[in-house]
Amino acid sequence: MRLMEDELFPSTPGKFKIERAHTINRQFHRCFASTSTMFLWALFLIALTASYLSFQSFVDTSSRYFNASWGGMHWEKQIRASATPRRPGGVSVLVTGAAGFVGTHVSLALRKRGDGVVGLDNFNSYYDPSLKKARNALLTSHGVFVVEGDINDARLLAKLFDVVPFTHVMHLAAQAGVRYAIENPASYVHSNIAGLVTLLEACKSADPQPAIVWASSSSVYGLNEKAPFSEADRTDRPASLYAATKKAGEGITHTYNHIYGLSITGLRFFTVYGPWGRPDMAYFSFTRNILQGKPITVYSGKNHVDLARDFTYIDDIVKGCVASLDTAHKSTGSGGRKRGPAQYRIFNLGNTSPVTVPALVGILERHLKVKAKRHMVEMPGNGDVPFTHANISSARTELGYNPTTNLEAGLKKFVKWYLSYYGYNPRSGGGATKASKSL
């Protein structure tokens, strides 16, 4: 019996070992259970965090969508209606910078002849946005819908090309002005370089790819002293950051033409003026200051040589822009792939008759019937050049471009518009009436 008990109940040392083993086992299970619990909690927290981030992303995306100034069925309907040509064989054109000076006139010209036109403009405050809003109202009255948005918004551009298979793009959106670059250089890189690339990316990915006409500038001739300026002249010595960004644009467009088969035409504008013009331009600010009895600053070059510009009336510029669209070949790419060589062109659009700035002031004095208070100053080193003069033989030959408005006639039309738009009243003592629109 004792033996049986000894076999059933081990000795004290053996019993101690077994109890110790049970204790370790219980501690192990307890530890394992604790670790499992921690692991499960960790998984739960990770899942909760992921869910929160996903929900936050959804909320942010939804917020951006609902707060955006574009999108929705009604918006798309407006886009399609505006983009639909009203004449047989009409084209469908996306005009960037549509509420700008040249953009408004080009959009109206295309619409009046029955083409489909959709505008894009960010209505920035480089100069008084109320003038841009007034131009927009004019476009709206002629059935042109202008989307408010930035040229750097890739999502917006992709949506526009998704809604409408544009046949052409007239790219006029840009940060303008030579002197402003000293104050805000980043705005030129943002609009004239980054914005151009964003647009070209959208165009090369579009199916079908549109033909592109875009605004370069006579400023690319920079320090060139040979006159008149020809497209074959050197353009590697810009005198301003504005000119440098336009020259960069010419290189960038050539690259997209070469790699992706985009049909591209660059237009070098020479000092465009006329009704609905830009308030930062000399002829515009001269008019305002002369009427208000304020002195005007007239710059002169080295050795007191008068500055001269190849002033080009807006209607002549519009004819060149429309002719560029009409003669543009189709792009040769599809979905970002090039199938063959594509058309690439650059044209000067000027008047070929440079006029000195003092002569410009004299013409304004005659039409305004007010004598200017001139303050003559030597031109500072702000990027301006002493003269511009366009050779337009290439545009004449290939576009049928033929400017017909001289500065005398063009300024007469501008002054008539200015007095009508701003409500100038000579009896008010040299200023605009109270009912006029402020600059």
Side-chain angles (χ1 to χ4, degrees), residues 234-290:
R234 289 180 61 180
T235 56
D236 58 353
R237 297 182 298 167
S240 66
L241 179 61
Y242 169 70
T245 60
K246 286 299 185 178
K247 175 59 180 176
E250 292 186 354
I252 291 168
T253 54
H254 186 275
T255 301
Y256 275 80
N257 165 264
H258 173 68
I259 296 177
Y260 302 110
L262 287 172
S263 170
I264 299 179
T265 302
L267 303 176
R268 293 172 177 170
F269 295 160
F270 281 73
T271 316
V272 189
Y273 73 99
W276 296 99
R278 282 175 25 215
D280 63 311
M281 298 288 286
Y283 73 95
F284 202 114
S285 62
F286 285 170
T287 299
R288 178 185 62 222
N289 288 345
I290 290 173

Side-chain angles (χ1 to χ4, degrees), residues 309-337:
R309 293 288 182 270
D310 197 344
F311 295 100
T312 314
Y313 189 63
I314 182 61
D315 288 359
D316 291 326
I317 288 292
V318 169
K319 291 174 185 176
C321 290
V322 174
S324 297
L325 289 171
D326 290 343
T327 58
H329 295 173
K330 291 183 178 181
S331 294
T332 62
S334 178
R337 291 174 178 253

Side-chain angles (χ1 to χ4, degrees), residues 115-165:
D115 292 320
V117 182
V118 173
L120 175 64
D121 204 293
N122 66 357
F123 297 91
N124 67 31
S125 58
Y126 169 61
Y127 58 82
D128 186 4
S130 68
L131 182 57
K132 299 177 184 179
K133 296 291 185 182
R135 296 189 192 122
N136 184 40
L138 180 63
L139 291 172
T140 300
S141 69
H142 285 81
V144 177
F145 181 68
V146 179
V147 177
E148 184 169 357
D150 196 281
I151 195 67
N152 282 282
D153 190 340
R155 288 176 59 246
L156 171 56
L157 291 176
K159 184 64 176 178
L160 286 171
F161 281 101
D162 182 56
V163 174
V164 175

Side-chain angles (χ1 to χ4, degrees), residues 71-86 91-94 111 114-119 143-147 158-166:
M73 293 180 62
H74 178 64
W75 180 84
E76 291 185 16
K77 184 178 180 181
Q78 289 178 296
I79 295 293
R80 291 192 182 94
S82 188
T84 302
R86 298 178 180 178
V91 295
S92 181
V93 188
L94 173 64
R111 195 57 171 172
D115 292 320
V117 182
V118 173
V144 177
F145 181 68
V146 179
V147 177
K159 184 64 176 178
L160 286 171
F161 281 101
D162 182 56
V163 174
V164 175
F166 292 105

Side-chain angles (χ1 to χ4, degrees), residues 130-210:
S130 68
L131 182 57
K132 299 177 184 179
K133 296 291 185 182
R135 296 189 192 122
N136 184 40
L138 180 63
L139 291 172
T140 300
S141 69
H142 285 81
V144 177
F145 181 68
V146 179
V147 177
E148 184 169 357
D150 196 281
I151 195 67
N152 282 282
D153 190 340
R155 288 176 59 246
L156 171 56
L157 291 176
K159 184 64 176 178
L160 286 171
F161 281 101
D162 182 56
V163 174
V164 175
F166 292 105
T167 59
H168 297 75
V169 169
M170 174 62 71
H171 178 45
L172 300 171
Q175 175 58 63
V178 170
R179 300 169 194 168
Y180 183 62
I182 296 175
E183 302 174 30
N184 190 2
S187 65
Y188 289 78
V189 177
H190 175 80
S191 297
N192 301 358
I193 296 179
L196 176 61
V197 171
T198 304
L199 176 65
L200 292 173
E201 280 289 304
C203 290
K204 65 109 174 180
S205 300
D207 192 7
Q209 289 180 339

